[in-house]
Every structure is written in structure tokens, then in C-alpha cells.
Amino acid sequence: MINKSIIKTGIVISLLLSGFIAKAQTEVQDILQAGLSDAKTYLGKYIKPATSTLGYLVNTGWYYRGNAKDAGRFELSLITNAAFLPEEKQKFLFRESDYEHLSLPSGQKQDHVPTLLGSKESVNVLVRFEDENGDTQSFSLMLPGGLLDEKLNTVPSAFLQGSVGLGWGLELKARVIPKINYDDVETGLYGAGLQYEISRLFSKKDDANIAVSLLAGYTKLEASYALESAQVSSAKANLESNVSAWQFALVGSTNFKTLNFYGGLNYNLQNRETGLMGRYTISEGELAGQTITNPFTIVQDNAVVSGTLGLNLRLGFFDLNAAYNFQEINTLNVGLNFGI
């Protein structure tokens, strides 16, 4: 059964990150007690599969046919997506050598621990540090487990997209989710794209059974989450996440009256920034008694090539389409499109 966090994520596109906040309100800032370097290293590995998945989810659904709309023709689409999480994205390898102060209580030098998209089981670690007298001290720290149930390996999202034909084989696209405030989470999404039908250069549109286009699309997701005080007391604490994603695609499709097939070769760029903002007063560890403002921002980038295969069913004034995207984290998108 899908848990409460997953239901939240279905309400807003960043459900998976709002689920993170449900856990973060009591746990995420506590890792500051291990020191800034260790906190940034651990959280970077912990959130990377989730922010990467979010990047793939918002960077899909740009097209479902190779031909551009005629001048003045408009279409509104509801696009839903699901990302399928491979097992290796649900955990990461904790190596003691990656940290200055963190170790496993079992004495093991390395072990697999949950990512944000992993199991719910929390992780107990040992924090060792030297006090002002040079003596070694230690204490136990409970780090957050994952967000998802073991049998639930998909993450959903949805957004609205509009497109209009400009003429000359050009089609302008825009996607948006207005800024939403929900349960201390503020999130919004916007994006724009341009498709150019190059096959018009070689044949008349009405005579061609194949259409080919070039497409460029940009999507930006902005989110902010209020954090409550936990073991580490805080003021104006929040977690800010920004995901920017570009897609450049070569798109091809059949051009028949009712049922068509389409595909694309895509080059995807992602930039993801997650910042722990606010003021935090540390109660234990080498930073005990210190107040830290805006501790750090985690920046993650990647560039991948992906492939898309799909089909489109035309039913009068609306279309149905479905496509599977082959990439590091595979996604399925389904669109309902109303044309004018």
C-alpha cells in the first residue's frame, strides 16, 4: 500500500522531495553534528538518486510526433510520468574512508545503506571527534532511512504542457506548474521548448508518411521546504532544491491518420542544487555550541544520451500517446492531448 509520503508526491510534482521533507523535519539536519564535510558527503550520496530521478521526470514528454503544428493550431496536454528505480539506486556504499568522523558501530569498514529512494530502515552510525583537551569522544547518531516501500519501485509526476504552431515548420511549447504551498512545501515548475520539422525541407507535409524534427526543451523546478528543529535546533531552516534540465532531440514519427509510431534520440543535461539554509546550533560533536548559517549547497550535474519509443492514437480532437524512455533511470510517460 502506498504510504502517506507517496500520496503527497502525487499531489505536487515534487512528491518525492516532499516525502523527503517529511523525514527531514526530524532527521536531516542532525547529521551536522558529524561536521560540515561529513554531512555534505553523506547527504550528497543519500539524495543523488532522488534528485537525478526528479531530473529525468521533468525532462521527458516534450514530443509525441515528428511533425510540427500548422500556424495558429493550439494544443493542451496533461502529461503523466513514472520513473522505474533500479535496485542500485535504492542504496549506496558507505565507506568509512570517505569520512573524517563517521564509522559503522559494527566495526565494518563499508556497508550498503539506504538512499532517499531506499528502504525506510534508519542507519545508526558512530561519530568520533577530539574534544578541546585532545581526548577522543564518540556518540551514536541515527541517520534517515529511505522514503519508499520495498515493493514500490516507481516514482510518479505530472504537469501541464501547451503548444502552438508558429508556421514555417516551427512549434513553440511551454510547460508549467504554478507555485504551490502545501504542508510547509513550496514548489513550482516552468519550461519552454521549440520544435522544428526538418522533413518539410525535403517533401510536402501532406504527402510524407514520415516526419522528422529537431527539438530543444528547457525545464526548471524550484522548491523550498521548511524544516523543524530536531536534535540540532534551528531558526528559519529550510531545504532549497533547484533542478534545471535541457533536452536536445532528433525526433521521427510516422504520419498516418489514426495510429502512429514515434521515436527519438535525446541528449539530456541536468544541473541539480540542494542547499541546507538557515541557522543551526550544534549540540554535539566537534562543532558543539557553534551556530552555523547556511551550512552548504550540494551541486550535482550529469549529461546522458537516451532513446525514446512510443505510439500515438488520434481520436478526433484529442490524442493519446505513450512512450518509454531508455536511460540511466527508465521512465514511462503517458499524455492526453486536446487540440484546437
Side-chain angles (χ1 to χ4, degrees):
M1 184 175 181
I2 298 178
N3 61 28
K4 184 178 179 180
S5 294
I6 298 299
I7 295 174
K8 281 186 182 179
T9 316
I11 297 175
V12 290
I13 188 172
S14 61
L15 168 146
L16 81 92
L17 287 176
S18 65
F20 180 26
I21 284 310
K23 302 185 72 63
Q25 288 177 338
T26 59
E27 296 174 329
V28 69
Q29 63 266 48
D30 290 345
I31 198 175
L32 291 173
Q33 297 176 110
L36 291 181
S37 177
D38 282 6
K40 185 175 182 179
T41 299
Y42 188 93
L43 286 179
K45 295 176 183 292
Y46 176 73
I47 68 172
K48 185 177 180 180
T51 59
S52 179
T53 298
L54 190 61
Y56 285 119
L57 283 170
V58 302
N59 204 24
T60 188
W62 277 114
Y63 58 83
Y64 68 91
R65 56 191 174 192
N67 54 316
K69 293 178 180 58
D70 293 332
R73 298 298 298 270
F74 175 78
E75 185 175 76
L76 181 65
S77 304
L78 172 63
I79 300 173
T80 60
N81 306 296
F84 302 96
L85 307 175
E87 185 177 353
E88 61 267 22
K89 300 299 180 183
Q90 300 177 36
K91 57 187 177 183
F92 71 93
L93 186 61
F94 177 98
R95 294 188 183 93
E96 187 177 313
S97 59
D98 292 337
Y99 305 92
E100 297 178 34
H101 305 290
L102 291 179
S103 61
L104 298 169
S106 63
Q108 294 177 274
K109 296 300 181 182
Q110 61 183 40
D111 196 10
H112 284 97
V113 297
T115 68
L116 171 57
L117 298 180
S119 67
K120 297 178 182 179
E121 185 177 356
S122 297
V123 179
N124 187 35
V125 296
L126 199 62
V127 182
R128 291 190 175 92
F129 66 99
E130 287 189 0
D131 62 19
E132 62 273 14
N133 299 318
D135 297 326
T136 299
Q137 305 290 339
S138 65
F139 62 93
S140 180
L141 181 63
M142 191 68 69
L143 298 178
L147 164 62
L148 304 182
D149 293 323
E150 292 183 3
K151 295 182 179 180
L152 183 66
N153 63 349
T154 59
V155 178
S157 73
F159 48 82
L160 293 175
Q161 181 167 294
S163 57
V164 61
L166 302 178
W168 308 286
L170 292 171
E171 181 177 321
L172 180 65
K173 303 171 184 286
R175 51 178 52 173
V176 66
I177 293 182
K179 281 202 170 182
I180 299 170
N181 285 284
Y182 177 80
D183 197 17
D184 295 325
V185 179
E186 182 180 80
T187 184
L189 175 146
Y190 60 88
L194 186 66
Q195 183 172 342
Y196 176 56
E197 185 181 343
I198 59 176
S199 54
R200 291 194 182 194
L201 300 175
F202 310 107
S203 62
K204 293 182 179 180
K205 179 178 179 180
D206 295 335
D207 297 334
N209 292 326
I210 300 293
V212 180
S213 289
L214 297 175
L215 179 140
Y218 173 78
T219 307
K220 179 69 175 285
L221 172 69
E222 298 176 336
S224 178
Y225 321 92
L227 300 176
E228 297 177 355
S229 292
Q231 293 182 40
V232 173
S233 61
S234 58
K236 297 183 179 179
N238 65 88
L239 193 68
E240 295 183 357
S241 294
N242 294 292
V243 178
S244 299
W246 279 97
Q247 182 173 96
F248 303 94
L250 175 64
V251 185
S253 73
T254 58
N255 189 27
F256 301 118
K257 185 175 181 181
T258 303
L259 181 64
N260 288 284
F261 297 90
Y262 65 95
L265 181 63
N266 318 301
Y267 181 64
N268 304 295
L269 297 172
Q270 291 184 23
N271 174 262
R272 310 181 303 273
E273 296 184 1
T274 304
L276 190 59
M277 315 304 288
R279 296 192 303 274
Y280 302 86
T281 302
I282 312 302
S283 58
E284 288 191 86
E286 65 174 5
L287 301 177
Q290 297 185 35
T291 296
I292 302 171
T293 302
N294 300 338
F296 52 75
T297 296
I298 298 169
V299 180
Q300 298 166 328
D301 301 280
N302 72 340
V304 298
V305 176
S306 65
T308 299
L309 290 176
L311 57 85
N312 170 40
L313 181 63
R314 296 177 179 172
L315 300 170
F317 67 94
F318 72 93
D319 290 35
L320 288 171
N321 70 278
Y324 197 83
N325 304 284
F326 301 87
Q327 52 204 0
E328 178 190 19
I329 297 174
N330 296 333
T331 60
L332 172 69
N333 60 274
V334 177
L336 180 59
N337 316 282
F338 298 90
I340 300 176

